[in-house]
Amino acid sequence: MTPEEQNFMRKIETEEKIEPKDWMPEAYRKNLIRQISQHAHSEVIGTQPEGNWITRAPSLRRKAVLLAKVQDEAGHGLYLYSATETLGISRDEMIAALQDGSAKYASIFNYPAQTWGDVGAIGWLVDGAAIVNQVSLQRTSYGPYARAMIRICKEESFHQRQGYELMLELCRGTPEQKAMAQDSLNRFYWPALMMFGPHDSESAHSARSMQWKIKRESNDDLRQKFIDQTVKQIEFLGLEHPDKAICWNEARGHYDSGEIDWDEFYAVINGNGHCNRQRLQHHIKVHEEGSWVREALAAYNEKQKARKQQAEANKSNQNVA
Amino acid sequence: MTTENLELFEVFIRSKRGLDHKHVGSLHAEDPAQALEYARDCYTRRSEGVSIWVVRSADIVASQEDDAESFYDPSDDKPYRHATYYQLPDPVNNM
């Protein structure tokens, strides 16, 4: 190891954070760019399924709540893009990578939000799973990422609570409403488990990410946490657990659970989920339609600059006179 | 010699890796390099930091506190942005 590498590893081992201007191995930088930008893309693409329901929320209160949540997600995308930019990649490069498919985003957002119950299930389960992961990432080794996670976790807890509250209301409503809640739970439970990624033994980036403390807990450990905490939340709603194999294991102190459909997982990752094409097409369309705003901003800046230069020129002319 | 012509710089110090840089004060200096050395001498005499930022005060764009009421008004009537707004029964309140 070079002295630089030794110094880097010493920081990692003693739980010191790595900061943007520190020396870091190229692979560490690349790995972070991949993970944080993917996280940022997920926040932004994630606004699509829920944004779909803003105009159809059943009450003004629910509309305001959903709007605030979607607004938060867009803000979280911004924090994470900014954190990624500290690693020397530009926003344009990241957006291009998302749009040409070379960068990924969380597969869960390739599932459609078909019913109002889905909005509840997304807040409760999808944000719930994201929180489990993000709480762990508050201790990630890269300073700007860790600080973004702390801010995001603080803001995110309302997302899960509003989702669960929505589900609770449906479950205390008419039989049709309760059936809608059950249907949403059934469709979102397994994809939410898939959010934690493949089993540790199958995970391509895990080992090195753990060694560098980019990831602090393994996919399977985080997934187990989520499975455990969700059981009593399902029970309290009076809904049926979608996993028929769920069973308390006294010896492990955890719930045992059924196997995830990994074929579905890889199919969705590889572009064959319900909404993969639609999500990217929509992103590209909105990006292109918004280009006049960016052009107007640039034109305005040019104008301001010219005006300022003119004012300064006038001033120096006056002084000469 | 007068300090009137020297530029004002704001000083931010990171006390520990992983934490944000925090504003600690300001100083006058000839240029950024000198400001950095002054900041070290003035603000980190007791190892208060591991990293210093100096920024020309003139480069800081700040909101006006007098305008706070109207400036922050848009978020005043949105209590639903807070987790505590959602009352959940005790058995599931831990989320």
Side-chain angles (χ1 to χ4, degrees), chain A residues 36 38 55 71 82 99 108 139 154 161 181 197 292 308:
Chain A
I36 311 175
Q38 179 175 328
T55 54
Q71 189 183 24
S82 304
Q99 295 187 344
I108 187 82
R139 295 188 301 118
K154 221 156 95 188
R161 291 176 70 90
W292 71 270
K308 205 170 155 196

Side-chain angles (χ1 to χ4, degrees), chain A residues 1-60:
Chain A
M1 266 201 281
T2 66
E4 285 162 329
E5 283 174 303
Q6 277 173 10
N7 191 29
F8 171 82
M9 281 316 295
R10 178 194 57 76
K11 286 178 198 159
I12 296 284
E13 272 150 30
T14 55
E15 294 287 320
E16 280 187 32
K17 299 291 180 209
I18 306 301
E19 295 293 348
K21 294 193 171 176
D22 295 351
W23 184 90
M24 60 187 89
E26 216 27 55
Y28 177 82
R29 185 188 299 274
K30 269 198 175 149
N31 199 325
L32 277 172
I33 288 176
R34 182 189 54 78
Q35 179 168 335
I36 311 175
S37 69
Q38 179 175 328
H39 199 157
H41 298 324
S42 303
E43 299 280 355
V44 172
I45 295 291
T47 60
Q48 288 188 39
E50 288 182 295
N52 192 29
W53 281 91
I54 290 173
T55 54
R56 286 177 281 162
S59 70
L60 185 59

